[in-house]
Amino acid sequence: MHSLNLSTLHQSHLEYLTGCRYAVLMRLATVAKQALFARGRGRPHRHGPLAMVGLVMMKLRHNLTGRALEALAGIDAVTLSRYVRKVTALLGALPLRAQPAQGFLLVDTTSVRVGSTDRRSFSGHKHQRCAKVQVIADEAGFVQHSGSAWPGSVHDKTVYNKERVNLGEALGTLILADKAYAGAHDEGAGLLRPIKRGERAAKLPAAQAFNAELSRRRVRIEHVFARLKTFRVLQGLFPYRGEQLGTVLRAIALVHNLNRLEAVETR
């Protein structure tokens, strides 16, 4: 059986297999070459940066098993696992911000099912064991912040309060949240959330209009999550340890930002 040679594939085929625009894939391969192929950095790699990045993105995009990729690409599953660890760590360490934030910021968490035996991972809201990551995006659909992985039982408000010290410039921009962020730090000042039915302000005529406008703007972060989860590693059962979700999701968020930026620049 012939092994897959990424360098011989058409650009459109590479884009389908990896979920990266061709220019983005080449850019990531250049970054990998500079970071992983410098002299004196451990034993030499058996495959080039394009092959490493391409195979890792194929793994994340289609959630293929190690054995399936081994049969497809002619690279053993252990080597591929090492590539996934190195490349996702590299991409997860790169700056996320493709450009300055546009409009309001939108905050929410996204959850992925994990095969954990830790009782803290059980989410009463999701009725399953999962890990969650807080994401902040702007109204243009660019991810501005992607946090660490938290057990599914940790409340969204708690995640925000713990991670707000890492938000930096984001705290200077108005952040729109959902009802789960009631009582969070910055509420009413830098953070707005819907007015709940039982609150006194809910009786005001403007409350319904305020909630409707807030929901209309906040739906864009759900669109971001839908884009991120086109990478099937974030669908179904997460194939790695739950604490690795933050690194993997941040790497995918970087690719998402670069894809959007490339699309804007080529219009």
Side-chain angles (χ1 to χ4, degrees), residues 138-159:
D138 63 19
E139 289 191 289
F142 289 95
V143 177
Q144 300 292 326
H145 171 81
S146 179
S148 303
W150 293 80
S153 62
V154 179
H155 198 276
D156 290 3
K157 176 180 69 175
T158 303
V159 175

Side-chain angles (χ1 to χ4, degrees), residues 21 35 52 65 68 70-71 80 89 94 100 108 115 127 132 139 163 172 174 181-182 189 216 224 231 256-257 263 266:
R21 286 177 171 263
M52 287 181 64
T65 65
E70 179 179 356
L80 179 64
L94 295 177
D108 205 350
H127 304 290
K132 62 172 56 175
E139 289 191 289
E163 291 196 348
L174 193 61
Y181 290 81
R216 185 184 69 82
V224 170
F231 286 82
H256 164 80
N257 281 354
T266 54

Side-chain angles (χ1 to χ4, degrees), residues 84-96:
V84 171
R85 184 175 67 254
K86 288 187 175 182
V87 172
T88 54
L90 172 63
L91 300 185
L94 295 177
L96 265 180

Side-chain angles (χ1 to χ4, degrees), residues 82-112:
R82 185 166 64 249
Y83 287 173
V84 171
R85 184 175 67 254
K86 288 187 175 182
V87 172
T88 54
L90 172 63
L91 300 185
L94 295 177
L96 265 180
R97 298 182 63 179
Q99 58 184 29
Q102 302 179 42
F104 296 120
L105 294 180
L106 318 165
V107 63
D108 205 350
T109 62
T110 184
S111 300
V112 179

